[in-house]
Amino acid sequence: MITDALARAAAMLRGATRITILTGAGVSAASGIPTFRGADGLWRKVRSETLATAEAFENDPKLVWEWYDWRRGMIRGAVPNTAHDVLARWTRERPGVTLITQNVDGLHERAGSERLIRLHGSIWHLRCWQRCNEGRRDWLDETAPLPTLPPRCPYCNGLARPGVVWFGESLDPAVVEAATNATACDVFMTVGTSAVVYPAAGLVQHAKRRGAATIEVNTEPTEASRLVDVAILGRAEEVLPALSAG
Ligand code: APR
C-alpha cells in the first residue's frame, strides 16, 4: 500500500525529530468503539446535549450514567488495535514524539503510550459533582458495570460525575497549554479526527503557523484536509503500520 502521499509522509516523519500526533475517535474504530459523527456514530443515535452536558447531568444524572456505564462496558471489552500499538511504539522509541488525544477510552494508555496529553479527560476517572475538597481531583474507578448508578463521591457521598470534558465546558488550562506547546514541532499529524471540535481542531493551524509540516490520516476528507501538506485517505490501522515501515 505505497501511495505518493504515504511516501511523502513517511519521508517527513523519517527526517523529523519533534513529532506531535493528535488522535480522535477514528483511531479506536478498529477496536469496535463507535466514532461520534461517523455513519454509526454515537451522535447519530443520541443527541449529545441530552447526555454530554452539565445541564443533562443536572436534569437526570442516572440517565447520563447509564450511557457512560454502557460505553465503559463496551470499551472494557475492546483491545487496542495496530494504530494504538504503532503510536505507542513511536512514543517509546522516539523521545521527540508527543501524543495528544481527544479520546477518553484509555486505549492509548493500554497500548503503553508515553507522553500522552488527554484533552477531553478519561471515562475511567470520576469527579465529585459537588466539587468537595478531596473529590475535585479525579479518581480512577475501572469498575464495569458500576455497582450503583449514579455512583457517589467516596469523600462527601454526593453525586460523582464522569471525568470527561462535556460540551460547553472548558478544558483544563494546563492540558491546553501542554498541547499548544507541543505544536512547536517538525511534523504535526492528525489521525482519525473530523477536525470540528475546538480547541483540538485548531492545533494543526497552530503547528502550521509555527512552521511544522502537517499530515492528516482519515478515511474521508475533513475540514483540515485542504490546509495540511499531505492528506492520506485510509484507515489508521493500515496507514500507521505502513508509515512505520516507510
Ligand atoms: N481510520 C482513520 N479515520 C477514521 C477511521 C479509521 N479506521 N474510522 C473513522 N475515521 C474518521 C472519520 O472519517 C471521522 O472524520 O474519524 C473521524 C471521527 O470523527 P468524530 O466522530 O467527529 O470524532 P472526533 O473527531 O474524535 O470528535 C472530537 O467531539 O464528540 C466530541 O468529545 C468528543 O472527543 C470528541 C470530539
Side-chain angles (χ1 to χ4, degrees):
M1 189 187 129
I2 290 294
T3 63
D4 173 52
L6 202 68
R8 287 174 57 213
M12 285 174 175
L13 292 164
R14 253 193 326 273
T17 304
R18 298 167 305 156
I19 298 171
T20 299
I21 300 145
L22 171 69
T23 67
V27 157
S28 295
S31 297
I33 312 293
T35 66
F36 293 96
R37 296 170 188 82
D40 293 333
L42 292 171
W43 299 150
R44 302 276 173 138
K45 300 199 174 92
V46 295
R47 291 177 34 238
S48 58
E49 61 275 13
T50 62
L51 287 167
T53 63
E55 294 70 33
F57 189 81
E58 185 91 47
N59 293 340
D60 191 341
K62 187 160 184 302
L63 175 71
V64 170
W65 265 114
E66 279 164 356
W67 189 65
Y68 278 94
D69 199 39
W70 166 74
R71 287 180 63 196
R72 286 162 55 105
M74 176 178 54
I75 296 166
R76 168 54 53 79
V79 292
N81 64 66
T82 47
H84 297 108
D85 295 339
V86 167
L87 293 172
R89 197 174 69 244
W90 286 3
T91 64
R92 287 196 300 271
E93 293 175 356
R94 301 177 73 170
V97 174
T98 301
L99 195 52
I100 307 171
T101 190
Q102 299 168 85
N103 300 348
V104 298
D105 57 27
L107 292 179
H108 282 306
E109 294 90 328
R110 282 168 59 190
S113 288
E114 298 176 1
R115 286 179 304 288
L116 178 66
I117 300 170
R118 283 198 297 237
L119 282 176
H120 298 160
S122 156
I123 203 167
W124 299 109
H125 285 79
L126 278 58
R127 190 182 305 154
C128 178
W129 174 244
Q130 268 80 31
R131 301 183 61 73
C132 75
N133 207 18
E134 286 106 329
R136 70 183 63 233
R137 264 188 315 284
D138 292 7
W139 65 88
L140 183 65
D141 182 339
E142 296 180 309
T143 326
L146 286 159
T148 53
L149 295 180
R152 312 302 296 190
C153 170
Y155 308 105
C156 74
N157 201 36
L159 277 176
R161 58 159 287 172
V164 300
V165 178
W166 280 328
F167 290 101
E169 292 188 319
S170 46
L171 279 62
D172 176 342
V175 169
V176 174
E177 190 188 347
T180 308
N181 290 345
T183 61
C185 56
D186 307 312
V187 174
F188 188 94
M189 180 164 77
T190 73
V191 184
T193 180
S194 57
V196 295
V197 174
Y198 284 76
L203 294 171
V204 65
Q205 284 104 325
H206 218 51
K208 201 173 173 64
R209 276 196 300 274
R210 300 176 93 168
T214 52
I215 303 169
E216 178 187 62
V217 178
N218 198 303
T219 46
E220 54 191 62
T222 76
E223 295 293 313
S225 305
R226 57 190 159 72
L227 64 90
V228 294
D229 301 303
V230 180
I232 303 172
L233 276 180
R235 299 180 169 288
E237 63 272 19
E238 293 164 7
V239 171
L240 292 180
L243 279 175
S244 209

